[in-house]
Amino acid sequence: CVFENRTDIKSVVIPGSVTKISYRAFWSCSSLINVNILSGVTVIGHESFANCDNLSSIVIPDSVNSIGGWAFWKCRSLKNVNIPTSVTDIHNGAFSGCSSLTSIDIPKGVTNIRYAVFFECGSLASVSIPKGVTTIEQWAFKGCVSLINIEIPSEVTSIDEIAFLE
């Protein structure tokens, strides 16, 4: 809640001395456009950039291993995200409501596509799911009405019945 609801912040560089971006650190910073996270950060906390409507650019370094639940919820201007291979855990709803997101490559270390992780990403057309993923949970891609290209690896043993519900 460090900068929660600040409307005057447009750009943020998070230095390498920071190891964790805490819960709701930049919640609802409506003017925030770009974020550059420098190497050293290992955790992007729950709801840390949620409801930042104008966030269109974020750089996530290779030091990050976890993206918290609802971290980028309703970042409607976010079009592209490069998730580094160091990320092994993307929590529930992390990119839910990112309606401008067009494609995503899920890193190789991720084994579970969690609940509502890409819920209502209406522009999402392409998803790359790596070998090693075993589970795709409910609502993972619910409302992804533009999704036309997705390859599910043979290691997947469980796909929830409403994982791809329109």
Side-chain angles (χ1 to χ4, degrees):
C1 306
V2 178
F3 298 103
E4 186 173 346
N5 291 314
R6 293 279 304 268
T7 58
D8 57 331
I9 299 173
K10 294 182 180 184
S11 181
V12 172
V13 175
I14 299 174
S17 58
V18 173
T19 58
K20 179 181 180 181
I21 302 170
S22 295
Y23 171 74
R24 286 194 171 191
F26 295 93
W27 167 272
S28 222
C29 288
S30 59
S31 298
L32 185 61
I33 296 170
N34 60 47
V35 174
N36 187 0
I37 303 170
L38 300 180
S39 189
V41 173
T42 58
V43 175
I44 297 174
H46 297 302
E47 300 178 14
S48 51
F49 296 97
N51 209 28
C52 292
D53 238 5
N54 290 306
L55 182 62
S56 61
S57 172
I58 184 153
V59 175
I60 302 173
D62 286 339
S63 57
V64 172
N65 57 44
S66 178
I67 298 175
W70 314 97
F72 299 100
W73 174 68
K74 285 192 178 180
C75 290
R76 293 185 177 111
S77 298
L78 195 58
K79 291 182 182 178
N80 298 304
V81 176
N82 182 21
I83 304 172
T85 57
S86 58
V87 173
T88 57
D89 204 1
I90 304 172
H91 290 264
N92 295 349
F95 295 95
S96 179
C98 292
S99 55
S100 296
L101 192 63
T102 58
S103 68
I104 199 82
D105 289 334
I106 298 166
K108 291 180 182 178
V110 173
T111 59
N112 186 8
I113 308 296
R114 293 185 185 260
Y115 171 82
V117 72
F118 299 107
F119 174 73
E120 292 187 351
C121 291
S123 298
L124 189 62
S126 177
V127 175
S128 174
I129 299 176
K131 291 181 178 182
V133 169
T134 58
T135 305
I136 301 174
E137 293 183 7
Q138 66 183 5
W139 290 28
F141 298 98
K142 183 183 184 303
C144 295
V145 295
S146 299
L147 191 58
I148 55 172
N149 185 18
I150 186 166
E151 192 170 320
I152 299 171
S154 60
E155 290 84 0
V156 172
T157 57
S158 174
I159 301 174
D160 190 276
E161 63 191 55
I162 57 174
F164 294 94
L165 188 67
E166 271 189 51

